[in-house]
Amino acid sequence: MKKKWIAIGVISAAMILLVTVCLLMFGNNSAVRKERLLSFRRGSGGDMQGSSSGTWVRRYDDTRALITVSYAEWHFDDPHVTEYFTDVSVMDEIREVFLKYRMQNWDGKKFTNMFVADGASTSYDFDFETTDVSFSSQIYPEQYAKKLEEINSLVRKRIAEGERLPGLILPELSEKERMSARQPRDGRLSLHVYEYSRDQLNYRFSNGTDVLTEAAADYKLHRDGSDEVIEEAEAGSYTHTVYAHSTREETIKLEERLEPGTYILEAGGLSCSFEIGMTED
């Protein structure tokens, strides 16, 4: 009987060891090994001047992936965006590196106990068909940084080879104008388009008055000189609340990418123009 219990104990220990090895090899998110990677993002932010940057790579259609590179030098800056089309195979290349180093096991991982006051953090997000894996750190020890650099390097290579796409041309603003864009005190309500990326148009209501204002939650987008509507939505009974000396930001999801040219956006009883063209690096 004693030998029997010893044998059972040995088998149980072996099973526990096998499960542990499997978890170490494949991780708790082993489903990612069978799924397509839909998007990847590397983002950085949180330093003392409020700068931010990000690189997104996502499947756009059956043959292409869209790469979006965005950065802002400080908190009051609107993001500068450049975008590229590349072959959709980049998604498989990123996935291969992810699986090679079993990055599914890095989900939510704490990489170091070191802390940098006012230092930026860099996050990585991998969006699979049913599973998301994400992690963030101010510092990645060399053993991790070298593996992540393989992904960063292949994305940079695809950017260099990719098709540069037209984007939003931002006006040149002084430091004072950049600050007042977020804290307006010009005594009026105005409308501005401040970002175009990932097939989304982002616009901002600016309330430079001393009183709270309600703006109708409608919009209409068309090319300058044309009545053909590209995107529109009716407000119904909905409104956007814009507080005094403040802004409110809204997003329009576009069905198609915008061709180069000048466009008119009408929203909340206001209108503004903006230009899509080849932006500078």
Side-chain angles (χ1 to χ4, degrees):
M1 179 63 72
K2 184 177 180 179
K3 291 182 178 180
K4 178 180 178 181
W5 286 111
I6 291 175
I8 292 174
V10 170
I11 293 172
S12 299
M15 292 179 65
I16 293 172
L17 179 61
L18 179 61
V19 171
T20 301
V21 169
C22 288
L23 287 175
L24 289 173
M25 290 182 62
F26 303 111
N28 294 323
N29 297 315
S30 58
V32 300
R33 304 187 70 84
K34 303 177 183 178
E35 296 182 357
R36 296 188 308 163
L37 179 65
L38 302 181
S39 69
F40 159 77
R41 178 182 183 271
R42 178 187 186 272
S44 181
D47 63 15
M48 65 185 301
Q49 65 185 27
S51 68
S52 62
S53 63
T55 301
W56 290 263
V57 187
R58 69 176 176 89
R59 292 180 182 270
Y60 192 79
D61 54 29
D62 291 340
T63 62
R64 297 175 296 177
L66 177 68
I67 302 177
T68 303
V69 181
S70 172
Y71 75 88
E73 293 182 353
W74 70 318
H75 173 70
F76 288 102
D77 278 345
D78 290 328
H80 179 91
V81 176
T82 52
E83 295 190 291
Y84 309 81
F85 274 143
T86 188
D87 191 88
V88 73
S89 60
V90 67
M91 306 309 301
D92 292 330
E93 292 178 356
I94 296 172
R95 180 178 177 275
E96 286 174 8
V97 177
F98 177 94
L99 293 176
K100 180 171 67 172
Y101 295 121
R102 300 168 187 152
M103 291 182 183
Q104 62 268 36
N105 296 335
W106 301 8
D107 189 37
K109 182 179 178 63
K110 184 176 182 180
F111 293 87
T112 177
N113 290 322
M114 296 180 64
F115 172 74
V116 181
D118 295 321
S121 294
T122 301
S123 62
Y124 289 82
D125 297 277
F126 302 83
D127 182 15
F128 291 84
E129 290 173 305
T130 65
T131 306
D132 296 333
V133 175
S134 62
F135 44 86
S136 178
S137 184
Q138 285 186 311
I139 299 171
Y140 289 92
E142 184 178 2
Q143 67 187 95
Y144 298 103
K146 289 174 63 176
K147 296 170 183 177
L148 291 169
E149 178 56 24
E150 290 191 29
I151 294 178
N152 298 332
S153 178
L154 71 86
V155 172
R156 288 195 299 269
K157 181 175 182 291
R158 288 305 191 107
I159 288 173
E161 299 171 347
E163 174 192 354
R164 178 77 172 266
L165 301 175
L168 174 66
I169 298 179
L170 293 171
E172 291 289 337
L173 300 176
S174 67
E175 183 175 314
K176 182 178 179 180
E177 289 172 326
R178 288 149 69 191
M179 292 183 65
S180 63
R182 304 294 181 92
Q183 299 174 344
R185 294 185 176 274
D186 55 5
R188 63 191 183 93
L189 186 67
S190 55
L191 183 70
H192 310 274
V193 172
Y194 69 91
E195 182 181 4
Y196 170 51
S197 65
R198 293 173 291 159
D199 296 348
Q200 294 184 160
L201 195 68
N202 298 323
Y203 63 98
R204 177 185 297 127
F205 290 103
S206 297
N207 183 2
T209 73
D210 297 328
V211 297
L212 177 149
T213 301
E214 297 288 341
D218 62 346
Y219 60 78
K220 181 183 293 186
L221 176 66
H222 59 89
R223 291 193 72 137
D224 190 16
S226 172
D227 293 330
E228 183 180 354
V229 176
I230 299 171
E231 297 286 349
E232 68 177 330
E234 296 182 357
S237 59
Y238 296 101
T239 60
H240 297 311
T241 300
V242 191
Y243 294 95
H245 307 301
S246 186
T247 61
R248 180 180 180 119
E249 297 175 349
E250 299 294 333
T251 297
I252 298 173
K253 177 64 177 176
L254 302 171
E255 293 297 323
E256 297 180 356
R257 292 194 62 85
L258 298 177
E259 296 293 330
T262 302
Y263 294 81
I264 304 295
L265 174 65
E266 302 172 17
L270 304 168
S271 67
C272 68
S273 65
F274 62 95
E275 184 180 356
I276 300 295
M278 296 308 296
T279 59
E280 298 180 359
D281 289 328

